[in-house]
Amino acid sequence: MIDRSMIETIVLEVIRALESEGKTEVTSDQPKLLIVGDASWIFENTLEKLKQNWDLNFAREPKIEDCESVEHIIFFRASQDLIVKGALGIADTPDSILLAHCLLTGKKGTIVPEPTLEEHLLAKKGPSSESKYIQKLLNYIEELNSFGVKVESIDDFANLGKGSQKAEPVPQLMPTSANAGKKKLLTQRDVQDTKTEQIFVCKNTIITPSARDAARELGKSIIVAE
């Protein structure tokens, strides 16, 4: 069985050795993106999409000073712990301390949940997505979004390119077949920013409780397109 950790360690040591000898001198006009975590799980085609817009940097456990020169940080395969602590302002682990630093300094960040968590939070999976526990976690995601940190899949981030830096509101979606398969999260902020009285979303859209409350208070209708 291939030991991913050992391979990554060897590659990093070789790169550092080359850099120390002055043999590696790579310059790029693209903004720097730091991916925190085990990037070996990212598919090659996704990496290629990322490279079109970013100068990629990787680190399992970066120090805060290593993040100063990057414009965006991705916490890859993040645990529920990081999402909750980030929303509550708790910083007591390496990842949560780094996330807190992003929030304090206004640096852009994205959290990509680990697969099982992503399945529950970023895709509508029937009754389980309506549970109070899931809704609580979605509220934490909404809180992070209001801070400027998005929670999304690595493929969604790659497909959006540099525009994924911005925590822009989800637009009102027209009920077309092109939008029907998209996974979205409708938040209170999205409802407040929408200018129309009717907000169309696809059937896979997750609507947070606060979004429903905001729509009711503002006299807006949330319409789910089949």
Side-chain angles (χ1 to χ4, degrees):
M1 180 175 291
I2 299 176
D3 189 329
R4 293 176 178 273
S5 179
M6 181 179 294
I7 293 176
E8 184 181 66
T9 300
I10 293 173
V11 171
L12 288 175
E13 288 300 325
V14 171
I15 291 175
R16 287 170 183 160
L18 290 174
E19 289 177 341
S20 64
E21 295 175 9
K23 295 181 181 179
T24 300
E25 185 176 349
V26 180
T27 58
S28 174
D29 294 330
Q30 294 181 317
K32 290 186 177 182
L33 172 68
L34 175 64
I35 300 179
V36 178
D38 187 359
S40 63
W41 290 100
I42 302 177
F43 289 117
E44 187 62 33
N45 61 333
T46 303
L47 281 175
E48 289 303 318
K49 289 181 180 179
L50 290 171
K51 290 176 182 178
Q52 293 174 9
N53 296 291
W54 301 94
D55 175 10
L56 300 184
N57 298 265
F58 305 91
R60 280 181 178 269
E61 297 181 1
K63 298 178 181 178
I64 288 180
E65 51 266 30
D66 297 331
C67 306
E68 299 301 331
S69 62
V70 303
E71 295 188 30
H72 200 112
I73 300 176
I74 288 182
F75 297 85
F76 184 63
R77 293 172 71 92
S79 67
Q80 177 178 310
D81 181 80
L82 182 64
I83 292 175
V84 175
K85 287 182 176 179
L88 296 178
I90 300 174
D92 59 359
T93 60
D95 280 354
S96 60
I97 290 173
L98 183 58
L99 178 57
H101 176 72
C102 290
L103 296 171
L104 287 170
T105 59
K107 191 175 292 293
K108 298 295 184 180
T110 296
I111 295 177
V112 176
E114 54 88 14
T116 302
L117 191 61
E118 179 179 314
E119 179 182 351
H120 288 288
L121 298 182
L122 301 184
K124 194 172 181 64
K125 304 296 290 185
S128 63
S129 65
E130 301 297 332
S131 72
K132 290 184 178 180
Y133 187 71
I134 296 294
Q135 292 298 337
K136 185 67 174 179
L137 294 178
L138 292 175
N139 286 338
Y140 286 138
I141 290 178
E142 183 176 350
E143 190 78 2
L144 284 169
N145 188 54
S146 71
F147 296 156
V149 173
K150 296 191 69 174
V151 179
E152 61 184 339
S153 70
I154 189 66
D155 288 331
D156 284 343
F157 180 90
N159 289 331
L160 288 173
K162 296 178 184 178
S164 194
Q165 297 181 73
K166 302 177 182 179
E168 296 179 348
V170 178
Q172 54 268 34
L173 300 175
M174 297 307 294
T176 63
S177 57
N179 287 323
K182 294 183 179 179
K183 300 170 184 176
K184 296 288 185 180
L185 176 68
L186 186 70
T187 67
Q188 176 184 4
R189 181 178 174 183
D190 301 329
V191 173
Q192 293 171 338
D193 289 344
T194 302
K195 304 303 181 183
T196 59
E197 293 185 357
Q198 292 184 326
I199 304 172
F200 289 93
V201 297
C202 58
K203 61 182 179 180
N204 291 328
T205 300
I206 297 173
I207 305 171
T208 65
S210 57
R212 296 184 186 277
D213 292 340
R216 184 165 50 252
E217 292 173 2
L218 296 172
K220 297 181 180 181
S221 299
I222 300 176
I223 302 174
V224 179
E226 296 297 333

